[in-house]
Amino acid sequence: MLTLINIELVKIFSKWRTYIGFIVIVVLTGIVQTAMYFEGKDSINMTTQRFADSFVILGNLVNGYFIANILLQTLYIHIPFLIVLVGGDLLAGEATQGTYRMMLTRPVSRLKIVTAKFLSGFVYTTLFMIFIFIVSLGVSCLIFGTGELIVFRKQVLILASSDVLWRFVCAYLFAILSMSTVISIAIFFSSLVENAIGPIISTMAVIIIFIILSALQFDFIKSIHPYLFTNYLNDWKLFFDDPVDYWEVTKSASVLVAHIAVLYAATSYIFIKKDILS
């Protein structure tokens, strides 16, 4: 299995589209960091102005933690698109290149091939999120330093500098699970077609439709809200509550894991039964 995963990772990182996401993250992070370097203090002053009469706010609020938290907000829409660029090609790309038959002539079961595809997708997702962690948090902290983190949730919360780093680590671990769900959807659609464009568009369409459904408050639609994975993609934010609601975190993670398991089972069934003609 490790050999299969290594082969799949070589395929992934030998394609130029794999690096689009990394380039976009560098550019996006650089733009945000540059903007915050020149205008960050004005921005934070405008945000905290309404509290100035009641509180005396001291310290370095425009710091690496604050900027990394802003960049995490992109997880909901932008990062999934960068993830599916790779996920949508994992199975459909074999059909496009006409390598299905050659791949299946090896003494390896179709189930192992699907499993290797999924695991290599998860490895790519993990590496991509670690890269975002390093660029957004690590580089930002080097440039802006560390300090207290101001968080705008249901209430304004200021977290002590010593109480922030572990929250980011846990948030990114949860984000890896969220994005693994997204790439699982892309791999599922990839097993249905023979062109990588379809899975990319289909996955993003599902995300957008589910986001819209989550915003609708009709009784029937509200009854399916707990089953929409998009309601849980951004639950990394729970780690920035004080105290952290670990029950809610566990519930959200369980729903995402259940989605991954169902998608893996469905993809395996489709691929095993698939009539390979190319």
Side-chain angles (χ1 to χ4, degrees):
M1 181 58 70
L2 288 177
T3 301
L4 287 175
I5 294 173
N6 287 333
I7 292 173
E8 293 302 327
L9 288 174
V10 169
K11 290 180 183 179
I12 288 174
F13 286 99
S14 64
K15 297 178 180 179
W16 68 269
R17 73 170 62 189
T18 301
Y19 301 96
I20 293 176
F22 293 92
I23 295 170
V24 169
I25 291 302
V26 170
V27 173
L28 174 63
T29 304
I31 291 172
V32 173
Q33 289 168 342
T34 302
M36 294 303 293
Y37 185 83
F38 290 104
E39 301 182 12
K41 289 185 179 180
D42 293 337
S43 176
I44 200 70
N45 288 337
M46 290 179 59
T47 305
T48 59
Q49 187 174 13
R50 56 186 176 183
F51 310 114
D53 295 335
S54 303
F55 302 97
V56 177
I57 300 177
L58 301 174
N60 178 29
L61 292 182
V62 184
N63 53 59
Y65 293 147
F66 179 73
I67 294 168
N69 187 259
I70 291 175
L71 290 166
L72 260 177
Q73 312 297 326
T74 63
L75 278 176
Y76 203 53
I77 290 294
H78 303 86
I79 302 303
F81 176 73
L82 300 176
I83 292 290
V84 301
L85 285 176
V86 171
D89 190 56
L90 282 176
L91 285 170
E94 302 285 357
T96 302
Q97 298 172 16
T99 55
Y100 260 147
R101 283 188 176 181
M102 183 178 68
M103 180 175 62
L104 295 176
T105 56
R106 300 171 183 171
V108 179
S109 68
R110 292 193 180 194
L111 180 60
K112 284 187 176 182
I113 291 174
V114 172
T115 303
K117 294 283 187 182
F118 265 84
L119 292 178
S120 61
F122 296 157
V123 170
Y124 164 77
T125 301
T126 301
L127 293 174
F128 187 60
M129 296 308 301
I130 291 174
F131 179 78
I132 297 175
F133 180 85
I134 293 171
V135 172
S136 65
L137 182 62
V139 175
S140 294
C141 286
L142 286 176
I143 296 173
F144 296 91
T146 60
E148 293 75 17
L149 174 63
I150 184 168
V151 179
F152 300 94
R153 294 274 285 156
K154 296 178 182 177
Q155 56 187 358
V156 178
L157 185 65
I158 298 180
L159 301 171
S161 178
S162 59
D163 192 36
V164 175
L165 183 57
W166 71 271
R167 295 176 184 270
F168 270 105
V169 172
C170 292
Y172 269 93
L173 289 174
F174 191 94
I176 289 173
L177 178 61
S178 296
M179 295 303 104
S180 294
T181 307
V182 171
I183 202 169
S184 296
I185 299 171
I187 297 172
F188 168 74
F189 283 121
S190 184
S191 69
L192 298 173
V193 298
E194 297 184 356
N195 188 296
I197 301 300
I200 294 171
I201 296 174
S202 299
T203 303
M204 294 309 300
V206 167
I207 292 175
I208 293 170
I209 290 171
F210 279 17
I211 291 174
I212 294 173
L213 290 176
S214 298
L216 298 177
Q217 298 302 313
F218 300 108
D219 289 339
F220 169 73
I221 297 177
K222 285 174 67 175
S223 66
I224 65 173
H225 281 181
Y227 306 102
L228 303 179
F229 71 94
T230 48
N231 287 330
Y232 307 97
L233 290 183
N234 258 18
D235 276 357
W236 56 265
K237 291 181 178 179
L238 295 171
F239 289 103
F240 293 95
D241 287 339
D242 192 24
V244 177
D245 188 344
Y246 288 104
W247 165 249
E248 194 67 27
V249 170
T250 302
K251 184 181 75 172
S252 300
S254 299
V255 173
L256 293 177
V257 169
H259 276 81
I260 292 173
V262 171
L263 289 164
Y264 167 72
T267 305
S268 298
Y269 178 81
I270 291 170
F271 189 70
I272 289 171
K273 298 294 184 180
K274 191 179 185 69
D275 186 13
I276 306 296
L277 301 175
S278 61

